[in-house]
């Protein structure tokens, strides 16, 4: 729908056949959805879990037990695809003599195709054995756990023997806790985890953590009646990540045996050539993150008000990334550039939740909740080349920080163009084209003028609030979600007219109604003028297409009524409730033309508001 303008050709011809033109034969949205065949899919999932436990309290010591667990998952997928090239006819109008409709058959109807797919089919199993201990001695409560686990996952329909090999992990886990009189709490954990993704000597990683808590409200000196529960807690630990993307065994090198060859001998037999492919990394290992959390739990007025707040700080190191400083002079292709555990990122923020609930003496119940999360990250090291200008360095910036040109508006006339720095993105710059800022003051607008603009697509601040009110059988619930400090770009198809091919591809009305037009009043123009083709000067990442993606959304709303017991007794049922609810009913944002949660571009399928009516009957 982004490729074809609604005035390019009709949905259907007068005889009911799919409308079409001499190009983009398969881009009639109606024909694609109704005339191009069908796809039958069959999915089968088998899951099972078995567990055995043995309480050894009488045999060895009180509080001791052992357990074992085994789980098995099997997934099968089969797809039968029947595709057909539907007939495409271009309508040429009526014959002036006979009055009959005239057509140009651009493509005749093809025969029904048949293909099958059986991917992905996989099998997984997991098992663990554990010993548990928990025992109280007067005011002292001790507990402990020691566990061994192993997982095995196999892609049964993998396309190569490499990816058909089982994916395996195993490890040992330990935990011990101590609780004194429900006032002082301590816990220590460790994980000694092994992964097949790393070479000998680096397969296992040790990840310890510890936490402590103080329940102040359980102290003898505590006499604040309005505070029922007050707890301060903190934790610090190390966690590991062995995910290395879609590749496997990065410590192994490989050879490409199907590159350009040569013809040998009298018969000129062709022999394929070999070349170095992936370069193995002998020291690839775990990515680690040191995490600190300090929090508080609070309850007041006999549980009427509860609050939970946390501050967190994370230092992530050893992030696996492909080397960015390998120069082109080495002759390495993008696939040959090795990986390394060089990335470093810091992340910190806070998370909080508050809840107020009460039932009044006259039967009114209300619940009010709110939550908020703020998280800010910073790249410490990403192995990117040191740029010519420091303002283009990604170090110190956010993850996925967008870079682009700073738009100053549009060129009004040729004199404006002549008096401005030269823009090197296309040979001819016209009135109505975007004017950019010369950041480095060298008199030329080029990629060296790109700077950090806006926020990353992942919001820094997310929040939600809502509540429930109930009285005499009626109840109403509203829940809102929102996000801010996030940016997106309206770009590519729909916002770059004729970027891919003239005169095809559709354009959003947002652009059409707000474009710069020669000879018109362009004081309110938001987008550049249009030419009959691609415009490399205008179709660049810049602040012109940068948009604030903050939003507030009514995520869930529900209204219901519970019938009184006299009614349900007469109907011989236990309970009856009728309700109406909806999701995504309202959205408040600054974009208006696309879903504010869409990725860069012009959005995907529009978000749907859903309204449900129903009844709940208990017998």
């Amino acid at each position: 729908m982004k490729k074809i303008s609604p005035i390019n050709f009709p949905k259907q011809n007068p005889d009911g056949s799919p409308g079409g033109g001499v190009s983009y034969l398969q881009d009639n949205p109606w024909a694609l959805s109704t005339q191009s065949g069908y796809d039958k899919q069959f999915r089968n999932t088998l899951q099972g879990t078995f567990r055995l436990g043995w309480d050894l309290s009488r045999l060895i010591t009180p509080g001791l037990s052992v357990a074992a667990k085994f789980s098995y998952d099997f997934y099968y997928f089969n797809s039968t695809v029947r595709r057909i090239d539907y007939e495409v006819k271009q309508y040429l109008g009526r014959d002036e003599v006979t009055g009959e409709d005239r057509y140009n058959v651009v493509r005749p109807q093809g025969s029904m195709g048949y293909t099958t797919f059986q991917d992905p089919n996989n099998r997984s199993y997991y098992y663990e054995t554990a010993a548990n201990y928990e025992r109280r001695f007067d005011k002292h409560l001790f507990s402990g756990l020691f566990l061994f686990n192993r997982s095995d996952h196999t892609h049964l329909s993998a396309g190569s023997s490499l990816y058909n090999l089982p994916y395996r992990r195993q490890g040992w886990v330990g935990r011990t806790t101590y609780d004194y009189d429900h006032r002082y709490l301590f816990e220590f954990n460790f994980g000694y985890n092994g992964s097949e993704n790393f070479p000998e000597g680096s397969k296992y990683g040790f990840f310890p953590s510890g936490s402590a808590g103080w329940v102040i409200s359980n102290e003898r000196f505590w006499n604040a009646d309005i505070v029922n529960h007050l707890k301060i807690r903190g934790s610090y630990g190390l966690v590991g990540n062995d995910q290395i993307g879609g590749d496997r065994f990065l410590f192994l090198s490989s050879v490409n045996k199907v590159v350009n060859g040569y013809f040998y001998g009298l018969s000129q037999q062709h022999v394929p050539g070999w070349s170095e492919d992936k370069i193995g990394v002998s020291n690839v290992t775990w990515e680690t993150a040191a995490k600190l959390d300090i929090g508080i739990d609070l309850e007041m007025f006999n549980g009427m008000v509860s609050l939970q707040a946390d501050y967190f700080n994370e230092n992530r190191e050893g992030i696996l990334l492909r080397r960015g400083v390998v120069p082109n002079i080495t002759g390495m292709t993008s696939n040959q550039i090795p990986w390394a555990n060089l990335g470093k990122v810091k992340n910190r923020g806070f998370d909080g939740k508050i809840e107020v609930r009460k039932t009044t003496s006259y039967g009114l119940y209300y619940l009010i909740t709110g939550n908020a999360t703020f998280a800010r990250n910073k790249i410490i090291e990403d192995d990117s080349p040191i740029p010519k200008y420091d303002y283009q360095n990604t170090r110190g910036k956010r993850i996925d920080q967008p870079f682009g040109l700073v738009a100053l508006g549009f060129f009004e006339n040729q004199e404006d163009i002549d008096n401005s720095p030269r823009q090197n993105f296309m040979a001819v710059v016209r009135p109505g084209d975007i004017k950019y800022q010369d950041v480095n003051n060298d008199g030329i607008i080029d990629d060296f003028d790109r700077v950090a603009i806006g926020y990353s697509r992942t919001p820094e601040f997310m929040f939600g609030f809502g509540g429930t009110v109930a009285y005499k059988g009626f109840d109403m619930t509203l829940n809102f979600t929102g996000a801010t400090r996030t940016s997106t770009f309206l770009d590519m198809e729909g916002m770059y007219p004729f970027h891919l091919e003239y005169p095809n591809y559709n354009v959003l009305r947002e652009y059409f109604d707000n474009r710069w037009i020669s000879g018109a009043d362009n004081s309110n123009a938001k987008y550049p003028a249009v030419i009959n083709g691609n415009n490399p000067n205008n179709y660049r990442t810049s602040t012109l297409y940068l948009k604030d993606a903050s939003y507030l959304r009514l995520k869930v709303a529900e209204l219901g009524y519970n019938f009184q017991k006299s009614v349900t007794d007469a109907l011989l049922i236990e309970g009856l409730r009728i309700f109406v609810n909806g999701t995504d009913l309202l959205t408040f944002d600054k974009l208006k033309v696309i879903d504010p949660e869409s990725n860069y571009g012009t959005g995907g399928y529009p978000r749907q508001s859903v309204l449900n009516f129903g009844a709940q009957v208990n017998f």
Side-chain angles (χ1 to χ4, degrees):
M1 296 180 71
K2 295 180 181 179
K3 294 181 179 180
I4 297 299
S5 169
I7 62 174
N8 205 334
F9 51 75
K11 182 189 78 170
Q12 290 175 267
N13 294 318
D15 64 355
S17 62
V22 295
S23 61
Y24 294 95
L25 303 179
Q26 302 181 56
D27 287 336
N28 183 321
W30 174 80
L32 283 172
S33 60
T34 63
Q35 308 294 311
S36 61
Y38 61 91
D39 183 357
K40 286 186 176 181
Q41 297 182 354
F42 174 77
R43 291 178 173 86
N44 183 23
T45 301
L46 174 65
Q47 297 178 326
T49 300
F50 307 89
R51 186 181 184 278
L52 292 174
W54 188 7
D55 188 346
L56 299 175
S57 297
R58 294 184 178 181
L59 185 63
I60 300 179
T61 185
L64 180 64
S65 65
V66 293
K69 182 170 70 174
F70 174 80
S71 65
Y72 178 85
D73 293 349
F74 177 80
Y75 177 76
Y76 174 82
F77 172 83
N78 175 271
S79 175
T80 301
V81 181
R82 306 299 305 273
R83 289 286 183 263
I84 184 172
D85 291 335
Y86 54 84
E87 182 183 40
V88 177
K89 297 191 299 185
Q90 183 182 19
Y91 182 58
L92 302 178
R94 289 181 179 272
D95 189 290
E96 295 181 357
V97 178
T98 64
E100 296 179 352
D101 292 326
R102 295 181 301 124
Y103 296 95
N104 172 34
V105 179
V106 180
R107 182 183 68 186
Q109 180 171 311
S111 58
M112 181 72 76
Y114 175 80
T115 54
T116 61
F117 298 95
Q118 293 186 358
D119 188 66
N121 301 322
N122 55 71
R123 182 267 302 151
S124 302
Y125 69 78
Y126 168 87
Y127 63 83
E128 67 178 34
T129 56
N132 289 276
Y133 178 75
E134 181 175 341
R135 191 171 181 183
R136 177 177 292 278
F137 300 91
D138 193 18
K139 296 181 179 181
H140 308 273
L141 176 63
F142 296 91
S143 72
L145 166 72
F146 187 74
L147 179 147
F148 170 79
N149 66 82
R150 174 178 288 177
S151 64
D152 183 297
H153 180 83
T154 304
H155 291 297
L156 302 176
S157 55
S160 69
S161 60
L162 178 67
Y163 292 98
N164 182 251
L165 292 174
Y167 293 72
R168 287 173 175 164
R169 295 183 181 89
Q170 70 177 24
W172 290 262
V173 177
R175 182 183 71 237
T176 181
T177 67
Y178 172 68
D179 175 355
Y180 176 73
D181 196 25
H182 302 295
R183 288 184 285 167
Y184 311 114
L185 313 172
F186 302 93
E187 181 175 324
F188 174 77
N189 297 274
F190 78 86
Y192 186 65
N193 302 321
S195 172
E196 59 158 19
N197 289 329
F198 309 125
E200 292 293 337
S202 301
K203 289 185 180 297
Y204 285 90
F206 180 70
F207 308 107
S209 66
S211 64
W214 180 23
V215 186
I216 304 175
S217 56
N218 287 343
E219 294 287 355
R220 294 183 179 87
F221 62 78
W222 187 261
N223 57 7
D225 294 335
I226 62 173
V227 178
N228 314 113
H229 178 77
L230 176 60
K231 176 182 177 182
I232 299 176
R233 50 186 167 75
S235 64
Y236 182 82
L238 197 68
V239 297
N241 175 33
D242 70 333
Q243 299 302 300
I244 58 175
D247 207 348
R248 300 189 71 185
F249 311 125
L250 291 182
F251 53 90
L252 299 178
S253 298
S254 62
V255 175
N256 188 351
K257 300 180 181 180
V258 291
V259 295
N260 295 335
Y262 198 78
F263 293 90
Y264 292 93
L266 296 177
S267 61
Q268 289 291 283
Q269 181 178 359
H270 182 266
V271 178
W274 288 17
S275 72
E276 188 175 38
D277 193 26
K278 184 180 71 175
I279 299 176
V281 183
S282 60
N283 60 349
V284 61
T285 188
W286 290 82
E287 171 189 337
T288 60
K291 298 190 175 187
L292 169 70
D293 185 279
I294 300 174
I296 182 173
D297 299 327
L298 175 68
E299 287 188 9
M300 303 174 63
F301 307 111
N302 295 320
M304 176 182 171
V305 179
S306 61
L307 171 70
Q308 177 181 317
D310 289 84
Y311 165 79
F312 57 86
N313 187 82
E314 177 186 76
N315 293 321
R316 188 174 291 272
E317 298 184 354
I319 299 173
L320 188 68
L321 47 81
R322 195 181 289 274
R323 296 302 304 267
V325 297
V326 178
N328 291 334
I329 197 173
T330 62
M332 289 185 177
T333 65
S334 59
N335 188 55
Q336 292 173 327
I337 296 176
W339 295 76
N341 295 98
L342 293 176
K344 295 182 180 180
V345 171
K346 286 188 176 181
N347 185 40
R348 69 182 188 278
F350 68 84
D351 180 83
K353 178 183 178 181
I354 188 170
E355 185 176 286
V356 179
R357 68 172 69 219
K358 186 177 181 180
T359 301
T360 66
S361 58
Y362 48 87
L364 174 66
Y365 169 83
Y366 60 86
L367 167 67
I368 303 172
T369 63
N371 63 81
T373 300
F374 175 82
R376 173 172 292 172
N377 59 63
K378 181 172 68 173
I379 298 173
I380 306 302
E381 180 58 63
D382 60 0
D383 201 46
S384 60
I386 301 299
K388 182 178 181 180
Y389 299 99
D390 187 62
Y391 56 77
Q392 293 187 331
N393 198 336
T394 55
R395 297 169 183 85
K397 305 294 194 304
R398 304 177 183 88
I399 297 175
D400 296 327
Q401 168 68 57
F403 284 78
L405 299 167
V406 178
L408 302 177
F410 308 107
F411 290 113
E412 292 299 325
N413 47 49
Q414 188 61 44
E415 181 182 2
D416 191 9
I417 297 173
D418 295 338
N419 294 331
S420 300
R422 187 176 77 250
Q423 303 198 170
N424 276 358
F425 301 121
M426 60 188 304
V428 179
V429 179
R430 304 170 177 83
D433 285 346
I434 304 175
K435 181 196 301 186
Y436 298 113
Q437 181 178 344
D438 185 10
V439 176
N440 57 6
N441 295 314
D442 63 353
I444 300 173
I445 305 297
D446 53 22
D447 283 336
F448 288 118
D449 295 300
R450 298 171 66 251
V451 297
I453 56 176
Y455 297 97
S456 64
R457 192 64 191 96
T458 302
E460 277 194 343
F461 188 75
M462 302 187 70
F463 59 90
F465 60 89
T468 298
V469 177
Y471 182 68
K472 292 186 176 181
F474 290 97
D475 62 87
M476 181 177 67
T477 299
L478 297 175
N479 284 315
F480 291 84
T481 62
T484 188
R485 300 181 68 85
T486 176
S487 301
T488 190
F489 288 92
L490 287 180
D491 56 11
M492 298 308 294
E493 295 178 5
M495 288 298 290
Y496 289 173
F498 313 132
H499 171 59
L500 300 178
E501 182 177 345
Y502 175 80
N504 296 291
Y505 285 84
N506 211 341
V507 63
L508 288 185
R509 182 162 186 166
E510 165 71 10
Y511 192 109
F512 183 86
D513 290 344
N514 296 284
R515 73 192 190 281
W516 193 96
I517 302 174
S518 178
D521 177 12
N522 292 299
S523 57
N524 294 321
K526 297 165 58 178
Y527 306 107
V530 178
I531 62 174
N532 58 344
N534 185 24
N535 192 317
N537 182 82
N538 295 340
Y539 303 159
R540 312 191 73 81
T541 302
S542 73
T543 55
L544 186 93
Y545 301 102
L546 178 70
K547 305 296 180 182
D548 185 348
S550 303
Y551 71 92
L552 174 65
R553 171 169 284 151
L554 177 57
K555 190 66 179 178
V556 177
E558 180 167 307
L559 179 65
Y561 178 72
N562 288 281
F563 285 87
Q564 297 181 358
K565 193 174 186 304
S566 59
V567 176
T568 58
D569 289 345
L571 297 174
L572 302 179
I573 57 176
E574 184 69 22
L576 174 61
R577 180 175 184 267
I578 58 174
F579 62 88
V580 54
N581 61 36
T583 58
D584 297 330
L585 299 178
L586 292 172
T587 300
F588 306 93
D589 67 282
K590 299 179 181 180
L591 288 172
K592 306 304 179 184
V593 295
I594 66 169
D595 180 12
E597 292 186 273
S598 298
N599 291 327
Y600 295 161
T602 51
Y605 195 84
R607 183 178 290 271
Q608 300 180 74
S609 296
V610 179
L611 195 64
N612 300 307
F613 299 88
Q616 180 179 346
V617 182
N618 297 327
F619 295 95

